[in-house]
Amino acid sequence: DTEVTQTPKHLVMGMTNKKSLKCEQHMGHRAMYWYKQKAKKPPELMFVYSYEKLSINESVPSRFSPECPNSSLLNLHLHALQPEDSALYLCASSQDLSGANVLTFGAGSRLTVL
Amino acid sequence: GQNIDQPTEMTATEGAIVQINCTYQTSGFNGLFWYQQHAGEAPTFLSYNVLDGLEEKGRFSSFLSRSKGYSYLLLKELQMKDSASYLCAVRSDRGSTLGRLYFGRGTQLTVWP
């Protein structure tokens, strides 16, 4: 299995909703990432987990809450989002955080906040 | 922060060769990656350079000059399916914090028949 699976593919939520994005990989990778990508823009790093511990938080607002329950799973909990948070949320994984860490990306979850 | 610059758009014809340039300024440089992203899809890995020089992989080659903060991706024998956005990404490691990979805005390549 060489894939990163993200669910749901599409999500529409109101500003008062609570929802979660899920990401799963079975490649034995020990580093997992969340990126946010808006239309015609590059992916922007949000969080990095290494061995299930949060390694990097790029000053992301607290309405985004990541969770790594085990080495295969990565969640992003969403609460009280704003319309400007509408974007494609990409999950990625890599072997670890060593230099040549090639990221394998999931297909993304497209989020629309009304 | 990071400063990664690449052209916004390029066009070429089938069978041609195209070179996509990327310049960067970063602290803690620890490698440069090229990814391909088709519209509406996830980025996929193309190449990795950490030392100066040329890395060749089939129709794709990538070059790095660390002293100049410069890289290019060379695509040969272009095919229609190569129409995509090409993202230059720089890894920046600072102290004990590893794993930051920053992406440039991407170069949208259109291949014409």
Side-chain angles (χ1 to χ4, degrees):
Chain A
D1 188 352
T2 58
E3 288 188 343
V4 174
T5 303
Q6 291 188 242
T7 55
K9 286 190 177 3
H10 298 275
L11 178 63
V12 179
M13 61 187 289
M15 289 190 284
T16 58
N17 291 158
K18 280 185 185 181
K19 297 285 184 184
S20 296
L21 304 181
K22 296 186 184 302
C23 175
E24 190 169 2
Q25 57 87 15
H26 296 288
M27 294 178 280
H29 287 176
R30 303 313 298 267
M32 296 186 78
Y33 310 75
W34 280 114
Y35 278 83
K36 171 182 175 181
Q37 187 175 28
K38 298 193 77 99
K40 298 189 185 299
K41 299 287 187 185
E44 294 176 8
L45 181 64
M46 299 176 72
F47 302 104
V48 179
Y49 272 83
S50 176
Y51 290 84
E52 295 105 69
K53 287 187 171 25
L54 184 63
S55 173
I56 294 174
N57 174 344
E58 290 284 80
S59 303
V60 179
S62 59
R63 59 186 185 268
F64 295 91
S65 174
E67 179 197 16
C68 190
N70 61 55
S71 59
S72 299
L73 294 174
L74 184 67
N75 298 321
L76 187 62
H77 302 298
L78 315 170
H79 174 54
L81 295 193
Q82 305 295 310
E84 60 264 28
D85 296 322
S86 298
L88 181 68
Y89 288 85
L90 292 165
C91 174
S93 70
S94 67
Q95 193 73 36
D96 50 36
L97 294 185
S98 63
N101 60 331
V102 174
L103 270 60
T104 300
F105 283 88
S109 292
R110 187 162 297 283
L111 173 67
T112 303
V113 182
L114 302 176
Chain B
Q2 314 309 304
N3 189 1
I4 303 171
D5 195 32
Q6 51 181 129
T8 307
E9 293 179 332
M10 296 184 74
T11 60
T13 52
E14 256 188 316
I17 299 173
V18 72
Q19 178 175 312
I20 303 174
N21 296 324
C22 172
T23 58
Y24 65 89
Q25 291 175 304
T26 187
S27 56
F29 176 82
N30 194 16
L32 188 143
F33 299 76
W34 285 94
Y35 281 80
Q36 179 191 62
Q37 187 175 26
H38 285 97
E41 297 182 13
T44 55
F45 169 74
L46 288 177
S47 69
Y48 167 69
N49 296 70
V50 68
L51 300 176
D52 290 352
L54 188 68
E55 293 285 338
E56 296 186 83
K57 202 191 254 188
R59 293 190 300 117
F60 297 81
S61 304
S62 57
F63 171 83
L64 175 67
S65 169
R66 288 172 297 170
S67 62
K68 295 180 179 172
Y70 168 70
S71 173
Y72 67 73
L73 179 70
L74 194 70
L75 294 80
K76 302 175 189 173
E77 301 167 20
L78 281 173
Q79 302 174 10
M80 299 289 287
K81 67 178 182 179
D82 297 328
S83 293
S85 182
Y86 291 84
L87 301 161
C88 172
V90 172
R91 179 178 164 120
S92 173
D93 291 338
R94 281 168 259 163
S96 60
T97 303
L98 308 179
R100 282 190 171 87
L101 188 66
Y102 294 106
F103 286 84
R105 62 185 171 182
T107 298
Q108 182 63 46
L109 174 67
T110 303
V111 180
W112 298 103

